[in-house]
Amino acid sequence: MPTDRRTFLASMLGAVALPALDVLDRTNAGKAARLEADPRRPQYHLLPAANWMNDPNGPVYWDGSYHMFYQYNPDAAVWGDMHWGHAISPDMIHWHHLPVALAPTPGGPDESGCFSGSAVIDGDRVAVVYTGVVAAPETKATLRDGAHSYKETQCLAFGTGKDLSTWTKVPQPVVAAPPAEINVTGFRDPSAWRHGDRWYMTVGSGVRGKHGCVLLYESTDLQHWRYLHMVASGEDVAGQSANPVESGDMWECPELFPLGEKHVLIYSTQGKSFWQSGVLNPETLIFQPEQRGLLDWGAYYAPKTQLDKSGNRILWGWIQETRPVEEYRAAGWAGMMSLPRILTLEDGVLNMQAASEAEALRQRPQNFSSSADEDRNQRQIASMRVKGVCGEILCVTRPGTTTFEFALADSQDDDAHPWLSVRYDPSNPDQTMVDGKPLPVGTTPTGELELHLYLDGSVIELFINRKAAFTKRFYYGGSRAPSAGMRITGQTSLISTLSVWPLTPISRDRLTGVTS
Ligand code: FRU
């Protein structure tokens, strides 16, 4: 588990207990009103109506609808008591909340939490494999991070009925312990798929003091699993820490899937999410990576994929809070789901962009028309706004030999520190600086730089040339969402496209699809 949750739990040990936030319902009008009025809550990203969420779990297209599950604490806007929240959508953009799908069963293998997992279609039902945790003494625990001590097992449950509203758990774990020969740093976050007449499943793990790894299992019925071997593993880590996720010798939420001619492995550790593309040897079932990178350079963790109804590979990620825990606990909500991102491979390099379904939210755009008159261009840019921080911006330019800078800030405040800044300097043609951080993406072979941004309440998802993503959280005070304005320096006459779309919120309030 990432550090902020650990630090928070440690700080809570001496803290006064605050009233827990209940599951939001219409009878809890005061709290609903406060959440509805919070301008920092997104309007077209999925998040629960209240309280805490983290990882996406088991996204699946089933019976004509998209189902999303996620790590959810129904009682507070902080990590703990993990349930699987559930939402349904016709298009991966408009969501409707459904009752919790999985809750810890007292006395069961998940009595201390239903951790992350994934979904597969098994005939006329959906099967989810997930990690059940039970508090355990350190000698029996597989998860020890300096703050928690849990025994992790892999569990199975089936969802049936209209809207997958009925869940039946297999009472005993389907994998009760990690392979005895490995001194594991963790044993969680299963991901299953079918190949021929077999099921395969990966589980995130690591060898203590050495490296992260992905364990591979095989089954014919989802219930009985045989451990095969490590399908992938990392380099030895530099140092050790009480929390192996911090030192990198524990890989969380791995997933291995085919994409184009290759296979792609994703996993999360050390606060970041990684991709590798390469070959899954069909004989040995060992993954050989060839190219690698980061899935996102900002506040983005524990992603998970699914196939959409047309067979595209879609990536979902948990967008974290980057403000202090006291602030989000007081706000009554924490975390959101990223937009669905379509993954493709180009020469083995992972490309991503928001799924085209997001275009349905677009209202009439403001379009920039470039001229040779720099002052006129600047006046036009200054008049373009994303009102209420709910919109999309597409900027395509050909910086040539000039440095190009693009910043987003509160349009009412000329001196305001930008919420996000992007800088391309042609003397470093293979990188773009975002908030002062170098990202390994330059202009395209034809000299273009494409910036695609989605702004929503307190988040910006930025895609540069579809090759690098940067998710930024930013927070302003007050009870009204400001208008976002752009500041551009460089040759604005070289801009070929600059459009700003207001986007339509997905629910009437900021409760994002709350059940009416
Ligand atoms: C990743 C993670 C997973 C775990 C879940 C618990 O953020 O730590 O490894 O299953 O969150 O909420």
Side-chain angles (χ1 to χ4, degrees):
M1 281 163 288
T3 331
D4 56 341
R5 274 178 280 165
R6 229 161 50 86
T7 323
F8 161 71
L9 285 164
S11 76
M12 274 300 282
L13 291 175
V16 179
L18 289 172
L21 291 159
D22 313 307
V23 177
L24 189 71
D25 60 41
R26 290 291 175 187
T27 56
N28 202 337
K31 193 171 78 196
R34 190 158 57 84
L35 288 159
E36 277 185 50
D38 183 344
R40 290 153 291 273
R41 272 177 73 84
Q43 301 201 78
Y44 60 89
H45 281 76
L46 169 65
L47 77 170
N51 298 322
W52 167 277
M53 66 156 276
N54 57 289
D55 315 355
N57 291 153
V60 64
Y61 180 70
W62 188 74
D63 196 21
S65 296
Y66 290 93
H67 289 263
M68 175 60 81
F69 307 91
Y70 51 85
Q71 290 285 280
Y72 174 53
N73 180 354
D75 297 318
V78 293
W79 185 85
D81 193 22
M82 284 293 115
H83 288 55
W84 276 37
H86 184 188
I88 187 168
S89 169
D91 58 3
M92 302 190 288
I93 298 293
H94 295 88
W95 293 97
H96 185 77
H97 290 306
L98 292 174
V100 156
L102 298 179
T105 300
D110 59 8
E111 78 168 354
S112 305
C114 302
F115 276 17
S116 288
S118 61
V120 289
I121 294 171
D122 179 30
D124 60 355
R125 58 189 183 171
V126 166
V128 300
V129 281
Y130 68 101
T131 301
V133 300
V134 175
E138 293 225 335
T139 48
K140 297 231 166 81
T142 51
L143 188 166
R144 300 193 305 269
D145 63 8
H148 312 90
S149 182
Y150 290 128
K151 179 173 158 56
E152 300 158 297
T153 57
Q154 311 321 317
C155 299
L156 178 67
F158 294 103
T160 52
K162 189 172 161 354
D163 297 346
L164 289 184
S165 48
T166 307
W167 288 89
T168 312
K169 289 181 185 173
V170 172
Q172 294 308 319
V174 291
V175 187
E181 66 270 26
I182 309 174
N183 180 13
V184 297
T185 49
F187 182 53
R188 60 181 173 276
D189 309 334
S191 168
W193 71 94
R194 199 184 177 95
H195 186 72
D197 58 356
R198 300 276 154 97
W199 294 101
Y200 291 92
M201 175 170 79
T202 53
V203 179
S205 189
V207 182
R208 200 164 288 277
K210 294 228 151 101
H211 53 79
C213 70
V214 183
L215 309 176
L216 182 66
Y217 289 80
E218 180 189 68
S219 169
T220 51
D221 60 3
L222 290 170
Q223 314 247 0
H224 303 88
W225 292 92
R226 185 167 74 96
Y227 173 62
L228 297 177
H229 52 252
M230 286 182 198
V231 60
S233 60
E235 321 254 288
D236 281 3
V237 296
Q240 262 208 66
S241 130
N243 180 354
V245 178
E246 267 166 29
S247 37
D249 46 342
M250 169 61 203
W251 284 3
E252 299 186 295
C253 300
E255 216 186 306
L256 185 61
F257 51 85
L259 191 64
E261 304 294 297
K262 301 279 178 189
H263 266 78
V264 169
L265 171 72
I266 62 173
Y267 61 92
S268 295
T269 191
Q270 295 184 298
K272 297 189 276 286
S273 300
F274 298 84
W275 64 266
Q276 299 182 343
S277 65
V279 175
L280 177 64
N281 184 314
E283 307 297 323
T284 62
L285 291 183
I286 291 184
F287 176 68
Q288 190 58 50
E290 294 167 344
Q291 304 205 46
R292 59 192 77 216
L294 277 188
L295 282 163
D296 191 294
W297 292 75
Y300 186 91
Y301 197 72
K304 187 132 258 333
T305 79
Q306 71 168 109
L307 292 177
D308 72 6
K309 62 178 171 195
S310 315
N312 297 305
R313 184 61 66 169
I314 305 291
L315 182 81
W316 299 95
W318 164 38
I319 298 181
Q320 303 139 308
E321 297 299 315
T322 56
R323 54 181 164 173
V325 61
E326 297 73 30
E327 285 182 26
Y328 61 74
R329 183 176 49 194
W333 65 279
M336 70 180 87
M337 196 68 74
S338 70
L339 290 176
R341 300 176 176 181
I342 294 205
L343 299 181
T344 46
L345 276 185
E346 197 183 316
D347 299 328
V349 174
L350 197 75
N351 282 11
M352 66 172 81
Q353 58 181 316
S356 58
E357 280 82 350
E359 289 172 15
L361 301 173
R362 287 175 174 174
Q363 299 171 23
R364 205 143 63 93
Q366 278 177 284
N367 293 319
F368 170 78
S369 72
S370 155
S371 74
D373 180 344
E374 190 66 28
D375 290 340
R376 181 173 173 271
N377 290 348
Q378 286 296 351
R379 280 196 301 279
Q380 245 191 96
I381 292 167
S383 72
M384 298 173 82
R385 300 279 158 80
V386 178
K387 290 211 185 76
V389 199
C390 184
E392 176 186 348
I393 300 174
L394 179 65
C395 176
V396 184
T397 187
R398 235 171 242 281
T401 54
T402 46
T403 297
F404 177 80
E405 285 188 58
F406 175 102
L408 272 179
D410 183 339
S411 65
Q412 298 296 302
D413 186 353
D414 288 343
D415 301 324
H417 186 73
W419 294 326
L420 180 80
S421 69
V422 182
R423 184 169 200 271
Y424 175 79
D425 174 352
S427 63
N428 268 324
D430 297 328
Q431 72 176 37
T432 305
M433 305 293 283
V434 180
D435 282 356
K437 205 189 258 189
L439 271 52
V441 56
T443 48
T444 63
T446 56
E448 278 186 342
L449 185 69
E450 178 189 282
L451 307 180
H452 204 158
L453 303 99
Y454 295 84
L455 286 76
D456 194 7
S458 53
V459 68
I460 301 167
E461 287 191 67
L462 162 69
F463 300 90
I464 305 177
N465 281 354
R466 303 174 189 192
K467 293 242 164 3
F470 190 102
T471 299
K472 177 78 189 279
R473 298 303 305 274
F474 64 105
Y475 303 96
Y476 39 84
S479 57
R480 283 194 49 187
S483 281
M486 293 177 285
R487 298 178 195 157
I488 297 183
T489 53
Q491 255 177 283
T492 53
S493 58
L494 300 174
I495 296 175
S496 53
T497 303
L498 179 58
S499 297
V500 172
W501 290 266
L503 296 185
T504 308
I506 60 172
S507 70
R508 288 187 316 279
D509 45 38
R510 286 179 188 264
L511 307 180
T512 320
V514 71
T515 317
S516 49

